[in-house]
Amino acid sequence: MDGQLLEPTLYTVKGMAILDNDGNRILAKYYDKNVFPTSKEQKAFEKNLFNKTHRANAEIIMLDGLTCVYRSNVDLFFYVMGSSHENELILMSVLNCLYDSVSQILRKNVEKRAVLDSLDIVMLAMDEICDGGIILDADASSVVQRVALRTDDIPLGEQTVAQVLQSAKEQLKWSLLK
Amino acid sequence: MNAFKRDKKEEEDGGGNPFQNLEKTTVLQEARTFNDTPVNPRKCAHILTKILYLLNQGEQLGTMEATEAFFAMTKLFQSRDVVLRRLVYLGIKELSSLAEDVIIVTSSLTKDMTGKEDLYRAAAIRALCTITDGGMLAAIERYMKQAIVDRSPAVSSAALVSSLHLTNVSGDVARRWANEAQEALNSNNVMVQYHALGVLYQARKSDKHAVIKLVAKLTKTSPKSPYAACMLIRIACKLLEDVGEAMGLLSFIESCLRQKSEMVVYEAAHALVNLGRSGAREIGPAISVLQLFCVSPKPALRFAAVRTLNKVAMTHPAAVTACNLDLENLITDSNRSIATLAITTLLKTGAESSVDR
């Protein structure tokens, strides 16, 4: 029975992935060197995972000794992997954060094309959610705040007063320098 | 015909993926643009994204190539563009294990982590700690201690998480910074509280009495952060194996069954049924909670519940019998993992009377 008790550690997440609708990797990150050490093994796992999940919209699956939670939209699949003993609801909270952050970054336009257009910001967001297997932040709005969207990309109405002031300041500075 | 089909497919993909068919050598050539002054942030950010994308796709870089790209990237510190700077941090982390002489960026990162811009500071700390070795640790120790107790949650969390990673570099990092972590534990931010508990446990886990003290203090006022509460439950379980029930640990875990957060409730139920010592009476409340989860609309919750019940059924089949009706409903669940687990559980607990249904 001892094996069932969870080791108290912050290293919770084994991996995160965003795949397209052919099961190809858009972004993926594995945090445990003992789980799929080479990219060949990782991709084989992703293919397998995709085949098992792309039709059934079932949210959770056990595969290769990992608990994988997932969510899809249009042509994108989001996955979060953890050990098979991990608390599924913690993994779920990470998945929701990943999905919601991407959704906010892309302004609800969650599809492959949009992700590729903002790939840099999505990479930064993934980096803010999980650091080396430890959940860094699980609140989507705080993640989005931390990745520093380019202010000129946000329509004026959605900017905070501080952001507007900041960009005004910068513009003034540049016009003076010219 | 075949070629036509392929073209059409690419068209459907929306005019082609801008990152498709990237050539490693071409991209690395493009990286020479980083040396231009003044830096063009948009262009450089795009090239850097391409490099990061290639690495993410599993492209292998040789030491020479990686080092060259790394040094070109360090030139980008001249730019003040936020996104570009953040991508540079990411690049440093990705290339730190491949390139040589990565400590060259130490001073730039130290400057950023002590600077004014909060958005830089947290990310700079995390990048700095990935290139830190035993020798450098002493040099950054002072800044790290300050960062742990910083009022910005992002900075504090970054420093705490990084100090856990640094345990690989030097085993006693967590112990040396325990005082600061103790202070961070009082933070109102749920993540800071969680990370601080992780560092404190790491610092004290070899000293049973210190762990007892830590747990005794925390169990009195349950942590606000659900993540920290889950961690505390796990620590309490581990402690129970050593010291027994003297400290009221069991009643703490039981009280977590009445928490608001489902995450904590499940963690507590899972812990209670898996503590080898519990008899049928102790696991009763946990089983009722899991039974409630069985009818949740959330698949993850149903899965968690039935997976746990499946394990309990091996040791206490009688206690699980109460859930048989709910389990029978799960046999037809749209998630096959849940259905399979429900069937195998019923095989252990079911009686002849239920075979007909």
Side-chain angles (χ1 to χ4, degrees):
Chain A
M1 268 326 253
D2 284 337
Q4 311 301 339
L5 278 178
L6 296 160
E7 182 64 25
T9 167
L10 295 194
Y11 291 90
T12 309
V13 181
K14 300 280 182 208
M16 290 200 292
I18 304 178
L19 307 181
D20 70 8
N21 57 351
D22 293 320
N24 294 319
R25 175 191 291 189
I26 294 176
L27 285 174
K29 203 90 183 95
Y30 292 83
Y31 301 104
D32 188 338
K33 289 203 175 64
N34 303 316
V35 181
F36 314 120
T38 67
S39 87
K40 205 174 145 205
E41 287 166 277
Q42 293 171 5
K43 292 211 168 158
F45 169 74
E46 281 159 27
K47 272 274 178 275
N48 193 6
L49 182 62
F50 178 76
N51 287 335
K52 291 255 180 351
T53 54
H54 75 288
R55 246 164 298 146
N57 200 5
E59 202 172 274
I60 187 162
I61 188 174
M62 292 263 255
L63 193 65
D64 291 349
L66 292 177
T67 299
C68 312
V69 291
Y70 61 97
R71 199 165 160 183
S72 64
N73 195 352
V74 197
D75 51 2
L76 286 175
F77 290 79
F78 297 80
Y79 298 90
V80 172
M81 284 77 82
S83 110
S84 57
H85 301 298
E86 193 46 68
N87 183 332
E88 291 86 348
L89 304 180
I90 295 185
L91 296 176
M92 209 58 209
S93 76
V94 178
L95 176 71
N96 287 336
C97 175
L98 173 67
Y99 183 89
D100 294 341
S101 314
V102 172
S103 167
Q104 282 183 37
I105 289 166
L106 307 176
R107 274 174 240 123
K108 306 231 167 76
N109 185 19
V110 185
E111 53 182 18
K112 183 179 170 184
R113 181 76 223 189
V115 166
L116 290 171
D117 285 342
S118 312
L119 198 65
D120 46 355
I121 307 288
V122 175
M123 279 178 179
L124 291 177
M126 277 178 86
D127 180 57
E128 283 296 335
I129 294 169
C130 182
D131 183 307
I134 299 180
I135 305 168
L136 193 60
D137 201 343
D139 175 29
S141 54
S142 123
V143 167
V144 172
Q145 220 170 49
R146 288 182 187 194
V147 294
L149 276 175
R150 286 181 200 279
T151 35
D152 52 337
D153 285 353
I154 310 173
L156 204 60
E158 290 173 30
Q159 292 186 23
T160 63
V161 179
Q163 280 170 332
V164 175
L165 272 177
Q166 177 69 25
S167 63
K169 234 189 254 170
E170 262 164 31
Q171 273 169 20
L172 187 70
K173 200 165 70 192
W174 281 110
S175 61
L176 287 176
L177 282 173
K178 266 177 209 161
Chain B
M1 183 64 199
N2 224 343
F4 171 71
K5 245 189 199 159
R6 206 172 49 233
D7 281 350
K8 195 156 174 234
K9 177 109 181 57
E10 271 167 21
E11 240 167 63
E12 277 170 1
D13 278 348
N17 170 350
F19 295 98
Q20 214 162 34
N21 308 321
L22 281 183
E23 272 286 333
K24 179 174 76 170
T25 38
T26 334
V27 176
L28 290 177
Q29 291 246 313
E30 282 181 318
R32 300 206 175 135
T33 321
F34 295 169
N35 292 310
D36 296 350
T37 42
V39 175
N40 178 340
R42 288 258 171 177
K43 199 169 155 202
C44 290
H46 189 62
I47 296 169
L48 196 45
T49 309
K50 283 192 208 166
I51 297 178
L52 289 169
Y53 178 78
L54 281 181
L55 287 170
N56 196 280
Q57 290 295 317
E59 188 78 51
Q60 303 286 335
L61 289 195
T63 312
M64 273 283 284
E65 291 169 318
T67 311
E68 207 169 299
F70 188 87
F71 274 76
M73 204 169 65
T74 57
K75 301 281 177 8
L76 299 177
F77 269 104
Q78 294 171 48
S79 164
R80 299 282 304 161
D81 185 84
V82 182
V83 175
L84 184 60
R85 181 68 61 92
R86 294 290 297 270
L87 286 172
V88 171
Y89 297 147
L90 208 52
I92 290 172
K93 282 195 278 191
E94 294 295 324
L95 290 172
S96 63
S97 55
L98 306 169
E100 283 174 338
D101 301 322
V102 290
I103 49 170
I104 189 106
V105 289
T106 307
S107 63
S108 305
L109 289 175
T110 325
K111 211 173 101 198
D112 282 352
M113 84 175 263
T114 51
K116 263 189 249 141
E117 180 82 77
D118 273 355
L119 283 175
Y120 288 175
R121 288 167 67 212
I125 289 169
R126 294 194 288 130
L128 182 63
C129 289
T130 54
I131 60 162
T132 298
D133 56 22
M136 263 170 62
L137 198 58
I140 62 163
E141 177 150 8
R142 189 164 59 94
Y143 302 121
M144 287 298 288
K145 282 184 172 176
Q146 261 167 27
I148 290 176
V149 293
D150 198 274
R151 60 178 170 74
S152 153
V155 173
S156 179
S157 274
L160 287 163
V161 169
S162 298
S163 50
L164 273 179
H165 295 322
L166 282 176
T167 314
N168 295 326
V169 175
S170 159
D172 64 343
V173 165
R175 213 167 315 133
R176 283 193 337 238
W177 302 348
N179 282 339
E180 285 75 16
Q182 181 79 55
E183 200 179 322
L185 193 61
N186 300 324
S187 164
N188 282 323
N189 184 285
V190 288
M191 292 323 278
V192 174
Q193 202 177 46
Y194 171 56
H195 297 139
L197 179 58
V199 172
L200 276 176
Y201 180 68
Q202 173 69 33
R204 299 182 179 177
K205 70 177 176 190
S206 51
D207 176 358
K208 203 170 72 189
H209 290 286
V211 177
I212 292 176
K213 252 168 72 186
L214 177 69
V215 172
K217 202 178 120 202
L218 285 173
T219 47
K220 254 178 253 149
T221 57
S222 272
K224 221 179 62 188
S225 154
Y227 297 95
C230 287
M231 176 82 179
L232 186 60
I233 291 172
R234 290 182 199 184
I235 300 175
C237 284
K238 194 130 179 100
L239 206 53
L240 260 176
E241 288 176 352
D242 292 342
V243 301
E245 276 143 58
M247 294 167 53
L249 289 172
L250 260 186
S251 55
F252 161 70
I253 301 177
E254 262 173 30
S255 75
C256 287
L257 287 174
R258 293 184 292 277
Q259 283 243 350
K260 244 196 323 216
S261 158
E262 280 172 344
M263 193 191 284
V264 182
V265 174
Y266 170 62
E267 185 77 45
H270 183 268
L272 281 173
V273 299
N274 281 311
L275 280 169
R277 62 177 73 232
S278 344
R281 193 182 55 79
E282 279 101 336
I283 61 174
I287 301 269
S288 353
V289 166
L290 292 171
Q291 188 174 7
L292 277 180
F293 284 175
C294 279
V295 292
S296 158
K298 295 181 197 156
L301 207 50
R302 296 200 300 273
F303 177 88
V306 67
R307 190 175 63 101
T308 311
L309 286 173
N310 187 31
K311 275 184 207 137
V312 194
M314 288 200 258
T315 48
H316 303 282
V320 183
T321 319
C323 309
N324 273 3
L325 264 180
D326 298 294
L327 287 170
E328 278 167 32
N329 288 332
L330 290 181
I331 292 179
T332 50
D333 199 285
S334 58
N335 184 322
R336 271 164 63 194
S337 308
I338 296 176
T340 315
L341 281 168
I343 292 170
T344 50
T345 315
L346 280 170
L347 285 176
K348 289 166 203 146
T349 63
E352 277 172 43
S353 60
S354 60
V355 172
D356 293 340
R357 298 201 300 266

